[in-house]
Amino acid sequence: LWTLLLLCSGPYFLWRVGVTRPQALSVTLTLWTVHALLNGRTRLLAALCFLYPFSYAASFLPLIFVAARAAYQLAWEERPDWKAPAAGAAGFLLGTVLHPGFPDNLLMLWVQNFYVMGLSLADNVRLHMGQELRPMDTLNLVASHVPLFAAGLALSQLGLDAGTRSGPRARLMLAFALTTGAMTAVSQRFVEYSVPLAVLAMAFRADELLAAGALEAYWRRFPTRRAAGPAALAAFFLVGGAASTWGALQRYRDTRPSPLAGAAGYIRENVPAGETVFTCTWSDPPVLLYHDDSHRYLLFLDPAFMHYRSPELWRSWDDAARGRLGPATYGVVRDVLGAKTGVCEAGQLPLRGVVEADKRMKVVYDDGKAWVFRLE
């Protein structure tokens, strides 16, 4: 039943875990970390914290669960276990130091997890980063996870009727679920962690209620509902699963071949290898590299790295890409950014107008999907 609930937990979660990205490995290691903390597997915890820096950008993530467990023990049990925090910290530090990218991986950790997050939440700098870095609004959060909220409310009501308190394992799982829930409230990229941990927390609590006979007591109070229970449960999973799967499939069906393929082919055949190519958005370079790996591109999938290195450089690129510089665009692209060729998708009309108005720049390729311009 809990596996079925996981599959009914909303289209955004199913889409996130279905995308070929390293978070699938990260979520797996996170679940093993939770297992180690729940069962006192200190050596396994140390090994996981050692492996995590080699697997994912947020290499400190297991330490968040270690801290959540320590806080829970202080609040509920008054017997803090310092072995787990010490083992986790030692494994994390050893993995970080032995990482082949050390010490640059420390800068990577800072920029990708803290600098990027700060910029995504700030209003003073608009980097136009991915939507996954933004918080999920409350209406979308509830609408995307109706089966989860419904199951949680039902369990809460059953627990209130039964009058039984949660046990230590269920409380600890709830602490983990609330921790990742708070992370998701800040950035929706953490939904792939909060959903399975929320399901696990509900499963642990349900296990206690079943053992205490809470469900049987409920059936005795409402005998007429017992016969309808299986049918209602089947309808719940059928509707929730269908809605979640349909929503996830729609996201995949919206995927289309890149409009940059033709422009990348033109650059590959007509621009000297090794040249820097100007791009209008930060999401274009990975696609261009896929079709043409013989050239250099300005920034890859995260403008925060350019902004961290030089806010002035990022501002020059952003102003040029959005057509704000007028005739000064030529000098910025050539002298500041070091490019003689630029490529943009068809929708980049402000810059297109600037290029066409400047005799020093010329559109040399246009297939209706993307266009390439060259500096004289």
Side-chain angles (χ1 to χ4, degrees), residues 278-285 288 299 317-318 320-322 342-345 348 351-352 371 373:
F278 173 90
T279 56
C280 286
T281 67
W282 54 264
S283 57
D284 288 345
L288 293 168
L299 67 171
W317 167 78
D318 188 61
R322 298 184 185 281
V343 56
C344 302
E345 293 187 18
Q348 300 291 338
L351 181 59
R352 179 70 179 257
W371 52 280
F373 67 94

Side-chain angles (χ1 to χ4, degrees), residues 66-251:
V66 172
R69 178 175 179 265
Y72 160 78
Q73 289 178 328
L74 283 173
W76 288 90
E77 299 182 7
E78 297 183 354
R79 56 173 189 85
D81 173 22
W82 300 113
K83 290 183 180 179
F92 168 75
L93 291 175
L94 187 61
T96 300
V97 172
L98 294 181
H99 192 283
F102 183 82
D104 292 334
N105 59 328
L106 296 177
L107 178 61
M108 184 85 161
L109 185 149
W110 165 253
V111 173
Q112 279 204 296
N113 295 281
F114 300 99
Y115 189 76
V116 167
M117 193 62 63
L119 290 176
S120 69
L121 299 176
D123 292 328
N124 57 329
V125 179
R126 297 285 185 178
L127 296 191
H128 308 282
M129 293 185 290
Q131 184 63 30
E132 66 176 21
L133 297 172
R134 303 289 299 173
M136 185 179 290
D137 64 85
T138 306
L139 179 60
N140 192 23
L141 176 67
V142 175
S144 299
H145 304 91
V146 169
L148 282 182
F149 283 102
L153 289 173
L155 273 177
S156 299
Q157 183 62 48
L158 190 61
L160 289 173
D161 290 342
T164 59
R165 296 181 60 184
S166 299
R169 288 169 64 86
R171 286 199 299 266
L172 183 54
M173 273 306 311
L174 179 61
F176 292 151
L178 291 176
T179 298
T180 53
M183 294 163 60
T184 305
V186 176
S187 174
Q188 54 190 283
R189 66 190 289 196
F190 294 112
V191 72
E192 57 260 31
Y193 303 92
S194 60
V195 165
L197 290 182
V199 171
L200 276 174
M202 286 188 279
F204 275 55
R205 179 59 176 151
D207 191 52
E208 293 178 343
L209 293 174
L210 289 173
L215 189 60
E216 288 300 322
Y218 179 84
W219 294 137
R220 284 196 297 270
R221 287 181 58 193
F222 305 103
T224 58
R225 298 181 184 180
R226 184 164 195 160
L233 197 62
F236 174 82
F237 284 120
L238 182 62
V239 174
S244 297
T245 304
W246 175 258
L249 287 176
Q250 290 304 111
R251 287 179 174 269

